[in-house]
Amino acid sequence: VVQLAESGGGSVQAGGSLTLHCVISGPRGSTNCIGWFRQAPGKDREGVGCLFFGDGTTHYADSVEGRFIISRDDAENTVDMQMTMLEPEDSAVYYCAADFVLLGSLCRLAPQKNYNFWGQGTQVTVSS
């Protein structure tokens, strides 16, 4: 069983930055694809970005491309997401989730049902 725990959320003004952390625990090799998702009040949960452990490739939603960067810290066993140039529209609860992608498949944000393990979420609030 993979367990995920997010941290790093908070309140910032528009234009500011935050870095979210997703701590991963569980059997080594049980996941190779970590996705970040967010859900704002009254809206559906949406994919933000994901990282494939195999070759480090990342994929981002158009809304955050160029502003958010996902990386892996092997020493801390975390997947981090640096968020810059934050906008009020980025306000949401952010979740990380784990998937295991078979050889030849892609680590992608959809369908979300592929992600079997989810963290509890961390709140990000961006004020104008």
Side-chain angles (χ1 to χ4, degrees):
V1 176
V2 177
Q3 292 183 312
L4 307 172
E6 304 92 342
S7 65
S11 298
V12 295
Q13 290 191 323
S17 302
L18 282 174
T19 298
L20 304 184
H21 308 281
C22 176
V23 179
I24 305 163
S25 58
R28 192 172 185 83
S30 55
T31 181
N32 61 5
C33 172
I34 293 293
W36 281 97
F37 300 83
R38 65 186 182 186
Q39 187 166 24
K43 295 187 177 181
D44 292 335
R45 187 172 60 198
E46 63 174 350
V48 176
C50 57
L51 178 145
F52 177 53
F53 290 3
D55 56 9
T57 56
T58 52
H59 176 72
Y60 299 95
D62 290 345
S63 59
V64 305
E65 182 79 54
R67 300 189 297 123
F68 291 11
I69 298 174
I70 298 174
S71 60
R72 184 184 180 194
D73 186 332
D74 286 340
E76 299 294 331
N77 208 28
T78 64
V79 172
D80 304 328
M81 182 164 70
Q82 295 175 274
M83 308 186 296
T84 63
M85 296 181 286
L86 284 163
E87 305 165 352
E89 293 72 23
D90 294 317
S91 297
V93 177
Y94 282 72
Y95 302 89
C96 60
D99 183 15
F100 186 86
V101 178
L102 298 177
L103 185 66
S105 297
L106 299 174
C107 177
R108 284 293 181 263
L109 294 169
Q112 292 187 22
K113 66 180 182 179
N114 286 352
Y115 289 85
N116 296 312
F117 304 99
W118 292 77
Q120 293 300 307
T122 186
Q123 176 72 48
V124 171
T125 303
V126 184
S127 58
S128 57

